[in-house]
Amino acid sequence: MSMPSFTKTALVGAILMGFALAASAATVPAGVKLHDKQEMTRNNGSEPETLDPALAEGVPANNIIRDLFEGLTATNGAGTTVPGVAESWKQTNDTTWVFTLRKNAKWSNGDAVTAEDFIYGIRRFVDPKTASQYASTYGIFIANGKEVVEGKVPPTELGIKALDKYTLEIKTPYPVSFIPELMSNLQLGPVHKATIEKFGKEWTKPGNIVGNGAFTLADWQVNSKIVLAKSAQYWDAKNVQLTKFTYLPVEDGNNDVKLFESGENDFVYQLPPGTYEKYKAQYPKEIHNSPMLGLRYYSYQTTDPLLKDVRVRKALSMVIDRNILAEKVTADGQVPAYSVIVGGTKGANVTTYDWASWPMDKRVAEAKKLLADAGVAAGTKVKFSYNTSEYHKKMAIFAASEWKTKLGLDTEMEAMEFKVLIKNRNDKNFQIARNGWIADYNDATSFIALVQCNNDQNNHNYCNPKAEALVEQGNKTKDPAKRAELLTQAVKINMEDYPILPLLQYTVPRLIKSYVGGYTATNSMDRYRGKEFYIIKH
Amino acid sequence: MWNYSFRRLLATLPTLLAVITVCYLLLHLTPGGPFDSERKVSAVVLANLQAKYHLDQPLWKQYLYYLNDLLHGDLGASFRYEDWTVNQLVSKALPISALIGGGSIVIALIIGVFLGIVAALRQNSKIDYLVMLMGNLGHALPTFVIGPILVLIFAIWLKWFPAGGWDNFAPRYIVLPMALLVFLNVATIGRVMRGSMIEVLHSNFIRTARAKGLPMRTIITRHALKPALLPVVSLIGPMAISSITTAIITESIFSIPGLGKLISNGAANRDYTLVLGLVVLVTVVTVLFNLLVDLAYALLDPNIRY
């Protein structure tokens, strides 16, 4: 880039500068009296696969890691991106971000957190030797990241460097407007090099692990509990209320509720399917149900002899009554969905189909016409694959019933174990399959990946170069409004091709003890840190 | 006896090898691998992961790697619990399952034998009917029915014990799951002991002892107990082994981090090494228990010699 151009961009970047926002912690409202014992127990859904940030994949692991470590930025209780170790950041040109680290950030052993710790952590994460399953998801947003992940260049070539001990520069391959938000993911966070080198694979065990988060690992009883203790070294320790934060790995939703009822658990991971209304009536002060950035959908195999005709895919989508599905079938407060992007996602607008507002009779008539035009006769069979779960079975039976009663199509239901379904989906060995997606970061591209050409997450053998070009163009655009417009157009094109059948936007129905403070209904990523919570006197 | 024991243990090696081989093949033939997840892993990362766990090698080579590790006492790394080795996981879960499963069998044995004897001595009395009723209930009601009932009464209504969970062998977490297993085992042992004792009490040598005017207590403890215990001893082996499979349900009901939990999670996650490690463990335990039962037979029945 030439100097004048750089100066101009830098000026624009300065306007877009991230300001040193007030650090967010447990905000105890005036008048609220805190309980003497600041201890909380939260069910986490299952045992984490690891506490190594680079290797963490599932929600349970990331929940705990978010308490043990802190990235450049973080997500506060309300779901807003706030400063983490970085007290401020700015975009100095289209593809360069500079983060200024706070000087009082410490590791739990008292060492200072420096830019080198981030460089070590991020390089380790994208290094093919680490074999992180998230490397290709997040790594590609850093210059040379894709090449490093693919083993074409060494990790030292990654576009990240320390300008000084407390200043970190990150280069991106194209303008990535959501870098501050992306950096809240702990895969892109720091790790303590000396600890990893000293303990090797044992570095995440209690007594060994050194983190820079608000809590330290006090105890880890596999499949039983993980106990965190407040870290005295954390830079914002004075605003952390909880002294002990326990994570349970209870998978069964009914057991989870029983633990809540018997007082062993303050925070239910997710209510069992179909129980939301019951518990809403039973625990009106403790029930919560917030929408999150997740989509329930069915995948179409677009190269299948029957489904390769877009008219067939459209007809199948049109006749599913999402309102009945949400209100009567799943009945846990989820929101009907008509696009790959769900409400609350940044970076593109949610598109919908014209027919979504039509009366069902009109939709059925149109769907029948589409099938007739495509030469599909009544009695034609479609094969639907889903994993053995009562929840998915209920949804599948409803869909099959809609297709049968409204279009006269028969459905062959194939129930299979979860791993088998995933294998079939990944091998593109299905006709219609149950699917779901939770966003990794709040940007439209996290969802668009599902329908992008050659994307690992695209199981549909689907590709529309026109939409692809718009996404690429959007990603190269530095104007957020223009980018959103281009991405929205791309999504609209994708959705008119019907590669997927969007059904519902996820919500998280759960019970939380009324004495737990700090939980909000606006955190669409459902990412909470222990530092946000406090126990009210009770 | 030592020679016999040694020969028995040696003879189990081919069995162990056969079990491992069959399980190894079945696990690898089951569709879906340890790295198949909602987020499809990129080809490069998948290749690295497979190389890390030798999954890029031909199956026979992987099998030899596994056997070699096994000979060195290494059950391998867990695919699901990345921070732990299978040895570490088993060493954490085994004492928990041993306490819950083994402890409940010991308690059930004491209570069941006692109740069986009392019921046999008071045949067709109220206590006999009570023991029979308990036995029938224990057989009729499955674990997943009694467990939640115990939780409802003692954890949610009375709040005497936690509804589940585990904390470093704290007694309050042990009571309910153990009570459930004791109840189920007492039902079986009590019924068998009752029937066996009634049969022994009707045998000629007991009749002779009675005719000689020996007190009932002496007849029971010196003459009847040993032969009456034989069918109960036969039960203990299978009971101990089935306690591992029962543990899958019990540990799920009470969220206990024992072997049952590891087995069910291991199978669902295609955690090959973890499942195989547990198969090895269960096979060894089965062999040992069968051997112990055989040896106990010799102690109880003078006709049996090894």
Side-chain angles (χ1 to χ4, degrees):
Chain A
M1 182 178 279
S2 65
M3 190 55 84
S5 168
F6 169 76
T7 312
K8 193 177 160 191
T9 315
L11 282 171
V12 175
I15 296 166
L16 298 172
M17 185 186 290
F19 296 100
L21 304 170
S24 174
T27 313
V28 184
V32 169
K33 284 189 178 171
L34 292 177
H35 198 264
D36 293 341
K37 210 171 166 186
Q38 288 296 313
E39 296 181 359
M40 180 179 159
T41 302
R42 163 185 187 174
N43 182 31
N44 202 21
S46 70
E47 179 70 12
E49 66 276 7
T50 179
L51 290 184
D52 184 333
L55 301 175
E57 191 198 358
V59 171
N62 281 296
N63 281 342
I64 302 167
I65 288 167
R66 215 169 285 129
D67 287 324
L68 294 173
F69 294 89
E70 187 171 79
L72 289 167
T73 61
T75 308
N76 69 6
T80 310
T81 302
V82 293
V85 174
E87 57 186 2
S88 66
W89 52 86
K90 59 185 176 183
Q91 191 173 12
T92 54
N93 67 39
D94 288 357
T95 56
T96 308
W97 290 81
V98 174
F99 289 83
T100 306
L101 277 56
R102 62 182 78 246
K103 292 182 177 65
N104 58 343
K106 296 255 191 297
W107 290 100
S108 54
N109 66 352
D111 292 353
V113 180
T114 66
E116 284 301 331
D117 294 323
F118 280 90
I119 292 173
Y120 175 73
I122 299 171
R123 280 182 184 165
R124 178 175 175 268
F125 163 58
V126 294
D127 189 339
K129 281 188 212 145
T130 309
S132 169
Q133 302 193 29
Y134 259 88
S136 53
T137 305
Y138 296 148
I140 55 167
F141 295 114
I142 300 176
N144 287 335
K146 192 169 185 289
E147 292 74 12
V148 174
V149 172
E150 289 172 356
K152 290 174 184 164
V153 298
T156 46
E157 294 294 309
L158 196 67
I160 173 167
K161 71 174 181 185
L163 299 181
D164 60 47
K165 196 176 174 185
Y166 294 103
T167 311
L168 186 72
E169 181 191 87
I170 295 176
K171 286 198 173 287
T172 59
Y174 45 82
V176 182
S177 57
F178 52 90
I179 276 287
E181 183 153 62
L182 190 74
M183 298 314 288
S184 69
N185 291 292
L186 272 308
Q187 285 84 355
L188 295 165
V191 281
H192 194 258
K193 186 181 177 187
T195 301
I196 295 175
E197 287 178 348
K198 183 178 175 189
F199 295 108
K201 206 173 153 46
E202 296 290 306
W203 82 274
T204 53
K205 303 286 166 58
N208 297 352
I209 191 167
V210 171
N212 69 325
F215 295 86
T216 57
L217 182 63
D219 190 14
W220 185 358
Q221 299 175 40
V222 183
N223 278 326
S224 172
K225 61 176 65 177
I226 286 181
V227 183
L228 309 183
K230 181 177 169 177
S231 170
Q233 298 288 349
Y234 182 57
W235 64 269
D236 197 23
K238 67 177 189 303
N239 286 316
V240 179
Q241 307 300 338
L242 295 183
T243 54
K244 184 180 172 188
F245 192 21
T246 304
Y247 280 95
L248 303 177
V250 179
E251 287 171 17
D252 185 291
N254 292 306
N255 286 359
D256 194 0
V257 175
K258 278 180 210 149
L259 289 170
F260 180 86
E261 290 178 317
S262 69
E264 296 288 311
N265 176 23
D266 303 318
F267 187 117
V268 166
Y269 182 72
Q270 186 151 359
L271 287 174
T275 61
Y276 173 64
E277 292 298 332
K278 175 187 157 192
Y279 290 120
K280 192 176 165 188
Q282 199 172 341
Y283 302 107
K285 288 182 183 166
E286 294 170 312
I287 195 96
H288 296 263
N289 198 6
S290 325
M292 68 178 292
L293 299 186
L295 176 73
R296 289 190 193 280
Y297 68 100
Y298 290 163
S299 284
Y300 289 129
Q301 192 45 258
T302 61
T303 51
D304 176 83
L306 177 68
L307 296 178
K308 70 182 176 193
D309 191 324
V310 67
R311 291 170 296 187
V312 180
R313 304 199 295 268
K314 183 176 178 181
L316 291 171
S317 187
M318 285 180 87
V319 297
I320 304 279
D321 194 324
R322 275 82 161 171
N323 292 325
I324 294 177
L325 182 67
E327 287 159 22
K328 307 285 180 200
V329 181
T330 57
D332 47 12
Q334 295 184 74
V335 185
Y338 297 91
S339 172
V340 70
I341 290 177
V342 299
T345 311
K346 293 175 187 169
N349 301 323
V350 179
T351 61
T352 190
Y353 295 115
D354 296 342
W355 50 258
S357 57
W358 294 359
M360 186 48 80
D361 287 352
K362 190 179 170 189
R363 279 158 65 170
V364 173
E366 176 65 15
K368 278 182 173 169
K369 187 172 171 297
L370 287 167
L371 284 188
D373 291 349
V376 177
T380 300
K381 195 174 272 183
V382 291
K383 201 186 271 186
F384 181 84
S385 308
Y386 68 102
N387 53 308
T388 42
S389 133
E390 276 307 307
Y391 198 84
H392 301 317
K393 188 176 171 187
K394 268 164 62 175
M395 287 180 69
I397 290 172
F398 175 74
S401 148
E402 294 281 78
W403 293 331
K404 177 71 182 171
T405 56
K406 292 172 180 171
L407 301 175
L409 300 177
D410 292 331
T411 306
E412 185 186 332
M413 309 265 271
E414 280 193 324
M416 54 192 76
E417 204 198 353
F418 187 48
K419 283 273 184 185
V420 181
L421 176 72
I422 286 174
K423 166 92 176 136
N424 283 339
R425 278 201 323 230
N426 289 346
D427 292 348
K428 302 179 180 176
N429 176 28
F430 64 90
Q431 194 177 32
I432 303 176
R434 203 277 309 166
N435 220 325
W437 186 251
I438 309 278
D440 295 312
Y441 49 92
N442 192 352
D443 185 74
T445 48
S446 188
F447 284 106
I448 290 174
L450 304 178
V451 289
Q452 260 190 304
C453 303
N454 303 318
N455 193 296
D456 288 330
Q457 298 313 132
N458 177 352
N459 303 320
H460 319 99
N461 272 322
Y462 164 74
C463 176
N464 188 323
K466 218 169 149 187
E468 195 75 1
L470 286 168
V471 173
E472 202 174 323
Q473 201 186 331
N475 280 338
K476 284 179 180 164
T477 307
K478 60 189 175 189
D479 176 5
K482 180 72 184 160
R483 177 177 181 267
E485 196 185 313
L486 290 164
L487 262 52
T488 305
Q489 272 181 45
V491 170
K492 204 161 172 54
I493 290 170
N494 286 142
M495 295 319 295
E496 286 305 323
D497 288 341
Y498 293 86
I500 66 167
L501 195 169
L503 292 164
L504 299 168
Q505 175 174 5
Y506 279 90
T507 55
V508 196
R510 59 166 58 117
L511 291 165
I512 299 171
K513 292 284 185 193
S514 51
Y515 52 71
V516 172
Y519 187 82
T520 72
T522 59
N523 196 329
S524 60
M525 297 290 284
D526 196 37
R527 292 178 178 181
Y528 295 92
R529 295 183 294 170
K531 78 178 273 191
E532 314 289 345
F533 296 126
Y534 52 91
I535 305 297
I536 301 163
K537 196 174 175 67
H538 59 280
Chain B
M1 198 170 77
W2 289 112
N3 269 344
Y4 170 79
S5 305
F6 182 70
R7 271 186 281 118
R8 275 284 299 269
L9 288 174
L10 212 61
T12 59
L13 289 180
T15 314
L16 190 61
L17 191 67
V19 170
I20 292 170
T21 310
V22 170
C23 281
Y24 197 90
L25 288 174
L26 284 177
L27 276 168
H28 282 80
L29 287 173
T30 312
F35 309 120
D36 286 318
S37 66
E38 290 270 21
R39 171 178 316 285
K40 191 179 176 188
V41 183
S42 70
V44 183
V45 173
L46 184 62
N48 286 324
L49 281 167
Q50 288 181 326
K52 192 171 160 184
Y53 295 100
H54 299 307
L55 294 176
D56 55 342
Q57 303 285 325
L59 197 59
W60 65 269
K61 248 188 185 174
Q62 292 179 45
Y63 177 68
L64 291 182
Y65 272 124
Y66 183 76
L67 285 186
N68 182 48
D69 288 345
L70 195 60
L71 284 173
H72 292 86
D74 181 4
L75 295 172
S78 166
F79 292 85
R80 165 67 175 79
Y81 306 95
E82 293 182 50
D83 298 359
W84 305 89
T85 63
V86 175
N87 288 39
Q88 287 172 327
L89 291 170
V90 169
S91 67
K92 282 178 183 294
L94 182 61
I96 296 169
S97 292
L99 175 72
I100 301 278
S104 64
I105 289 175
V106 172
I107 295 171
L109 200 60
I110 295 165
I111 299 173
V113 166
F114 176 74
L115 288 179
I117 294 171
V118 173
L121 292 175
R122 302 270 187 276
Q123 214 180 334
N124 299 323
S125 68
K126 278 181 187 168
I127 194 154
D128 185 24
Y129 293 142
L130 197 70
V131 172
M132 292 296 283
L133 177 71
M134 205 168 125
N136 289 335
L137 281 177
H139 281 121
L141 294 174
T143 322
F144 57 83
V145 172
I146 309 175
I149 291 173
L150 289 178
V151 169
L152 187 70
I153 298 171
F154 295 103
I156 297 175
W157 290 350
L158 297 173
K159 297 201 186 293
W160 289 355
F161 302 105
W166 191 260
D167 189 13
N168 284 328
F169 296 90
R172 58 194 297 262
Y173 290 94
I174 298 170
V175 176
L176 285 187
M178 209 180 231
L180 168 64
L181 291 176
V182 165
F183 175 71
L184 295 175
N185 290 333
V186 161
T188 309
I189 293 170
R191 274 174 65 99
V192 171
M193 188 66 200
R194 175 187 174 274
S196 169
M197 185 56 91
I198 288 172
E199 199 182 323
V200 171
L201 288 177
H202 284 92
S203 55
N204 289 336
F205 72 97
I206 297 293
R207 216 171 283 139
T208 310
R210 273 182 173 167
K212 281 161 71 179
L214 284 174
M216 204 54 193
R217 181 178 294 178
T218 312
I219 292 173
I220 298 292
T221 52
R222 289 208 186 149
H223 300 286
L225 192 58
K226 273 190 176 181
L229 274 174
L230 281 174
V232 175
V233 169
S234 316
L235 267 181
I236 296 170
M239 198 175 263
I241 295 153
S242 73
S243 73
I244 296 175
T245 44
T246 314
I248 295 175
I249 304 166
T250 319
E251 291 176 6
S252 164
I253 294 169
F254 294 100
S255 305
I256 298 169
L259 293 173
K261 179 95 177 162
L262 284 185
I263 290 172
S264 52
N265 283 1
N269 293 315
R270 302 291 187 273
D271 198 338
Y272 301 142
T273 44
L274 180 58
V275 175
L276 281 167
L278 294 167
V279 164
V280 170
L281 181 76
V282 172
T283 312
V284 169
V285 168
T286 306
V287 166
L288 284 179
F289 266 98
N290 284 336
L291 180 63
L292 286 174
V293 167
D294 286 352
L295 297 179
Y297 253 77
L299 288 175
L300 292 171
D301 188 349
N303 295 318
I304 299 171
R305 286 285 173 270
Y306 297 113

